[in-house]
Amino acid sequence: MSVEEILSLPTLEVAKALLGCRLIHASEEGLTSGIIVETEAYLRDDPASHSFRKMTARTAPMFDKAGTIYVYQIYGVHFCANITTNETGIGEAVLLRALQPVEGIEIMQKRRKNTDIKSLCSGPGKLVEAMGIKKTMNNWVVNESPIQLIAPAGNNPEVHITTRIGITLAKDLNYRFYLKNNPFISRK
DNA sequence: GTCTAGATGAAA
DNA sequence: TTCATCTAGACA
């Protein structure tokens, strides 16, 4: 399945299909990339989603076309990155929660000030920092910017589905997806 | 204006 | 378990 095909799927399917994809950022400091190993879906009728109510200045990228990147700050300290799904006007997205580092590991270690490979991208805030994703990249579009997405070549990986992390609203929905037995996923 | 929860991470 | 650190968005 191509990236275009993946991004045209319903949001829950996108969250699942993104597992195994490679995310690349060709930054000024150099190229970093990693395999997506953990995601969460946020739908339009989902009380935990930023797009649950009306569109606002902050959440506008969620309502943009599929492949748009939505970056927001959380707890006043960290940033999280999402990939928007659906056509323009529908506010749904997939949160990137963890990557398995592949390229540019030295750059990630420097950005994260941490040499432990397993801790480099094992959480939404960590991955954003390791990949050098900035608030200014809000609204960028995957594969039309230095952020690239590549679909996996091989077969379907084994996927685990659980409830999402760090929320109290709609906390019983099974909208979190991760690769089974992968040591690079986040923990809580 | 005032309130509150929050899609976190690191340290202790 | 605590804390750092703060904003968007709801409601009045």
Side-chain angles (χ1 to χ4, degrees), chain A residues 3-4 9 17 19 27-28 30 33 46-47 61 74 95 97-99 101 110 118 121-122 129 154 156 171 176 180-181:
Chain A
V3 170
E4 293 71 41
L9 297 170
L19 297 177
S27 75
E28 309 236 330
S33 78
D46 166 8
I74 187 66
L95 170 70
R97 285 196 59 88
L99 302 181
K110 189 173 150 213
K118 285 200 292 300
C121 301
S122 57
E129 187 177 25
N156 294 4
K171 65 174 175 2
R176 174 171 175 243
K180 195 175 181 182
N181 298 326

Side-chain angles (χ1 to χ4, degrees), chain A residues 34-47:
Chain A
I35 305 292
I36 298 172
V37 299
E38 181 179 345
T39 61
E40 283 179 4
Y42 287 86
L43 309 192
R44 59 185 185 282
D45 61 348
D46 166 8

Side-chain angles (χ1 to χ4, degrees), chain A residues 19-66:
Chain A
L19 297 177
C21 287
R22 185 186 306 210
L23 184 71
I24 301 170
H25 180 204
S27 75
E28 309 236 330
E29 303 163 82
L31 187 144
T32 49
S33 78
I35 305 292
I36 298 172
V37 299
E38 181 179 345
T39 61
E40 283 179 4
Y42 287 86
L43 309 192
R44 59 185 185 282
D45 61 348
D46 166 8
S49 173
H50 291 173
S51 59
F52 181 55
R53 295 162 210 275
K54 63 184 178 6
M55 180 173 76
T56 64
R58 178 179 66 141
T59 63
M62 282 187 77
F63 293 81
D64 217 316
K65 69 175 182 179

Side-chain angles (χ1 to χ4, degrees), chain A residues 123-181:
Chain A
K126 297 182 190 179
L127 138 194
V128 160
E129 187 177 25
M131 291 293 284
I133 295 172
K134 302 284 193 290
K135 184 69 199 298
T136 55
M137 298 178 192
N138 193 35
N139 256 319
W140 282 17
V141 177
V142 153
N143 291 351
E144 295 175 19
S145 70
I147 302 287
Q148 305 279 315
L149 199 55
I150 296 181
N155 5 343
N156 294 4
E158 198 168 353
V159 174
H160 245 244
I161 305 177
T162 67
T163 54
R164 295 173 292 186
I165 291 181
I167 54 173
T168 58
L169 258 40
K171 65 174 175 2
D172 295 328
L173 295 173
N174 290 308
Y175 287 177
R176 174 171 175 243
F177 304 81
Y178 63 88
L179 294 182
K180 195 175 181 182
N181 298 326

